[in-house]
Amino acid sequence: TSYGPVWEAAYESARGIFFSSQGQWIESERALRKTLYLLETQYDKVKNSAGKVDIVADETRSVSDSSNNPRVYVTQISNRELNLAQVLLRQRKLIDAEYYARKSITLSLSSFGSNSIEVGRGLRSLAVIVNEQGRYVEAVLLSRAALSTVKAAGATGANTTLALAQKSLGSALVADGKYAEANQVFEEMSSAIKTDPEMAKSYQFGDLDLVLAILKTGKSNQAFEMTGEMLKNLETSSDKNSPRVAMVRAFEAASLQAQNKWAEADVAY
C-alpha cells in the first residue's frame, strides 16, 4: 500500500534517533540514511502527484491528507538531515556533516522562508560543525545568523531553540578568543532560562566553554563554583575516571590556580 514506505520511514527514523541517544553512531547513521531515502522517494512522488494536498485550499480534508501533503515530508526530511549531520559530527565525519546541514538549510529556505525556526536550527547545526573544523570566524557569523533567525521567527525568553542558538554563539566566540562577549551571551541565555522555573530545573547550566569565558574575564570564584556543580552532576552519570570528569577537574584546578590556591590546585590536577 501507499502507507508502507511511510510506516517504514517512521520505523527507521525512530531507530536512528534511539541509536543516537545510546551513542551507537554507526547504527544511527545507517537508519537515518535509510529514513532519508524512503522520505525523499515518497516526497518526489507526492509533490508531483495530482492528488497532493494543497494546505491553503478549502477542500474537504481526509485521514490520508498527511501522506499526500508535500510539506509534511519537507519537515521530516529537514529534521532527519540535521539528525544525520549531528551523528556524522559525532563520528568526526565533518565534511559529510556539513553537507547534510547545508542540505537541510537549503530545503528549509525554499519551503519555510528565511525567518523560520527550521532555518534557524539548520544554521545553528552548521555553526557547530564549522566550529569543530576550526573555522572559528565563520562559526561566529553562522551562530549570529542562527540567533537572529530564531528571534525573527518569534522565539523569546525561556525557549529551548533560542537557548541552543545562544549556546552555539557563546561557544564560537570562546573558540575565536572573544571571551567577554561570550560571557555576556552565556549570561543572557542563563537569565532567560531562569524566567521559566520548569526549564531552569531541568537545564544543565554547566559548560566548559562558559567556564573558560568566566576564567578569561577574571571571575575565578564563579568558575570554581560552576566546575563544582558540574562534578557533582557527573558523579551520578559518569565513571569517576572518565575523560569528561578529568577535563572538568582540570578546569577546577585552573580556577583554583587563578585564585592563587596552588596547593588545592595541585590536588585537583
Side-chain angles (χ1 to χ4, degrees):
T1 69
S2 61
Y3 288 106
V6 177
W7 290 339
E8 189 178 3
Y11 170 70
E12 290 296 340
S13 177
R15 290 180 75 237
I17 293 168
F18 172 76
F19 285 136
S20 176
S21 71
Q22 300 299 305
Q24 295 174 262
W25 310 121
I26 295 174
E27 293 83 354
S28 179
E29 179 186 346
R30 287 172 182 160
L32 290 170
R33 285 188 184 279
K34 187 171 183 181
T35 301
L36 285 170
Y37 169 76
L38 292 164
L39 287 173
E40 287 171 345
T41 300
Q42 198 66 11
Y43 173 56
D44 286 339
K45 290 180 182 177
V46 170
K47 72 178 181 180
N48 296 315
S49 168
K52 70 180 178 182
V53 173
D54 181 351
I55 59 170
V56 297
D58 295 325
E59 302 156 355
T60 303
R61 300 303 185 198
S62 72
V63 293
S64 65
D65 280 1
S66 61
S67 62
N68 291 320
N69 184 348
R71 199 176 178 89
V72 170
Y73 291 100
V74 169
T75 301
Q76 291 185 59
I77 291 168
S78 174
N79 288 338
R80 294 299 81 79
E81 283 172 340
L82 291 182
N83 290 144
L84 180 55
Q86 177 64 23
V87 167
L88 292 165
L89 172 62
R90 291 288 190 168
Q91 298 176 74
R92 306 298 298 172
K93 297 179 179 178
L94 301 179
I95 303 302
D96 287 351
E98 181 178 349
Y99 168 78
Y100 279 101
R102 289 186 181 277
K103 195 165 179 281
S104 175
I105 293 168
T106 301
L107 182 61
S108 294
L109 277 170
S110 63
S111 303
F112 305 114
S114 57
N115 291 332
S116 63
I117 287 291
E118 290 81 3
V119 170
R121 286 180 184 142
L123 287 169
R124 188 199 71 83
S125 180
L126 181 59
V128 171
I129 293 162
V130 167
N131 198 37
E132 284 294 315
Q133 293 176 3
R135 293 154 56 190
Y136 304 131
V137 175
E138 289 177 68
V140 170
L141 291 172
L142 286 165
S143 295
R144 291 193 198 281
L147 183 55
S148 174
T149 301
V150 169
K151 287 181 176 179
T156 58
N159 178 285
T160 302
T161 304
L162 179 60
L164 286 171
Q166 290 170 314
K167 185 175 184 295
S168 169
L169 176 56
S171 296
L173 287 165
V174 167
D176 200 33
K178 297 174 180 174
Y179 303 112
E181 188 180 355
N183 188 44
Q184 183 182 346
V185 170
F186 281 125
E187 285 182 353
E188 288 172 0
M189 179 192 76
S190 297
S191 297
I193 291 171
K194 288 173 182 175
T195 62
D196 183 340
E198 287 302 312
M199 186 174 177
K201 190 191 302 181
S202 61
Y203 194 87
Q204 296 291 332
F205 287 98
D207 182 277
L208 290 180
D209 286 325
L210 173 55
V211 172
L212 182 56
I214 292 170
L215 276 172
K216 290 289 188 178
T217 49
K219 302 172 185 174
S220 53
N221 287 333
Q222 189 180 340
F224 177 71
E225 290 174 9
M226 181 164 288
T227 52
E229 284 297 316
M230 291 173 71
L231 286 169
K232 190 187 297 182
N233 292 331
L234 286 169
E235 282 176 4
T236 58
S237 61
S238 302
D239 183 85
K240 65 179 182 179
N241 295 318
S242 73
R244 174 69 174 170
V245 170
M247 184 65 74
V248 176
R249 286 202 184 283
F251 273 85
E252 181 185 48
S255 66
L256 288 166
Q257 224 171 10
Q259 298 173 62
N260 295 320
K261 297 180 179 179
W262 302 100
E264 293 174 57
D266 284 342
V267 172
Y269 277 128

